[in-house]
Amino acid sequence: MTSKNNPTRRGRPVNEALSQTIVEVASELFTELGFQATTLDKVAQRAKISKLSIYRHFENKEALFSASIVAGCQQLFAPQALLVGVDGSVEEQLMAVGTLLLRTLLRPDVSSIEAMVMADKTNQKSLSKLHYEACPAHVIAQIETLLRQLHAKALLNVPDPLQSARLFAALFKGSDLLMIARFDEARAEDDNEIESYCRSAVAMFLAAHGGAQDAISQL
């Protein structure tokens, strides 16, 4: 499970560009074929490199799989990505964050990452931990930052920003639209459906944190 891409290790220095290419190709194959059917030979063939080149960067397939999860999560949720362009009233700010979060969760590549984690029964616990730290925990930290700011300005009553951030994220991770997307993508991705759900979720959150009147008036 340990990636051998530490430039301080003994031997040749790591080619970071090649390492990134290997991860990108591997991610494509994991998504297309699943973990078990993806082999380092297939990764090498598609990347047009030798299998030895892969071993210079990654200890084994499990390490490459782990790297692909980290890369995918970091691309989806770059630092402060949820907070970019967030402005306006408290409700508008929470709507912007919640809507972006839900739309991101509805993306096929996001569900593919989670499916890959669940498919690897052997390393499921360790990969689940890695996935949580790279994705959900990162997103919750961004939401926590916003809630701390709103609390500091006395715009919301958030005595425990971390716990409230976890609850806010859960409102969207628990949306039934994520399940509906499995059999009716058009409905799940409908703008009206998404807006309606997000407004209800935000209203519920505001009602619990001192913004009930503004939220209810918008329903």
Side-chain angles (χ1 to χ4, degrees):
M1 291 301 297
T2 302
S3 173
K4 297 173 63 176
N5 54 359
N6 184 347
T8 62
R9 78 182 192 281
R10 299 174 62 184
R12 295 184 180 181
V14 172
N15 183 329
E16 294 298 340
L18 179 56
S19 179
Q20 182 177 350
T21 296
I22 293 171
V23 170
E24 291 174 351
V25 170
S27 296
E28 293 175 358
L29 288 171
F30 285 133
T31 300
E32 294 172 13
L33 307 176
F35 179 80
Q36 296 299 330
T38 297
T39 64
L40 294 185
D41 286 320
K42 291 178 180 179
V43 174
Q45 182 179 13
R46 180 171 293 193
K48 298 180 180 179
I49 59 175
S50 68
K51 188 160 71 170
L52 179 60
S53 295
I54 297 177
Y55 280 120
R56 288 186 180 130
H57 294 260
F58 303 96
E59 184 177 1
N60 48 37
K61 185 172 73 169
E62 287 74 17
L64 184 53
F65 185 40
S66 300
S68 72
I69 294 175
V70 172
C73 290
Q74 289 179 344
Q75 182 178 6
L76 289 168
F77 299 110
Q80 302 304 311
L82 282 176
L83 306 184
V84 173
V86 172
D87 202 357
S89 67
V90 173
E91 182 188 14
E92 289 169 341
Q93 292 182 59
L94 294 179
M95 274 293 294
V97 172
T99 300
L100 176 58
L101 178 56
L102 182 54
R103 287 189 181 279
T104 300
L105 290 170
L106 285 167
R107 286 176 49 158
D109 48 349
V110 173
S111 58
S112 294
I113 291 174
E114 295 184 347
M116 283 194 296
V117 171
M118 299 307 296
D120 183 8
K121 302 301 182 183
T122 303
N123 300 303
Q124 190 176 100
K125 287 186 177 180
S126 58
L127 290 177
S128 293
K129 180 176 183 293
L130 175 65
H131 177 261
Y132 174 77
E133 292 174 346
C135 289
H138 178 68
V139 171
I140 289 170
Q142 293 187 56
I143 297 172
E144 180 186 2
T145 296
L146 175 60
L147 296 181
R148 286 187 182 280
Q149 294 172 356
L150 295 174
H151 182 74
K153 296 176 182 177
L155 296 174
L156 278 183
N157 180 28
V158 191
D160 188 343
L162 176 57
Q163 184 72 351
S164 293
R166 294 172 64 190
L167 293 173
F168 184 85
L171 286 172
F172 298 91
K173 177 61 176 174
S175 171
D176 63 339
L177 291 177
L178 298 177
M179 185 172 292
I180 292 173
R182 299 177 185 176
F183 59 87
D184 191 345
E185 291 183 10
R187 178 186 171 188
E189 297 174 1
D190 181 77
D191 290 340
N192 292 329
E193 287 274 4
I194 292 175
E195 181 178 2
S196 176
Y197 181 88
C198 289
R199 287 203 178 280
S200 296
V202 168
M204 184 179 297
F205 185 83
L206 287 174
H209 293 83
Q213 294 303 317
D214 289 340
I216 293 173
S217 66
Q218 297 295 325
L219 295 179

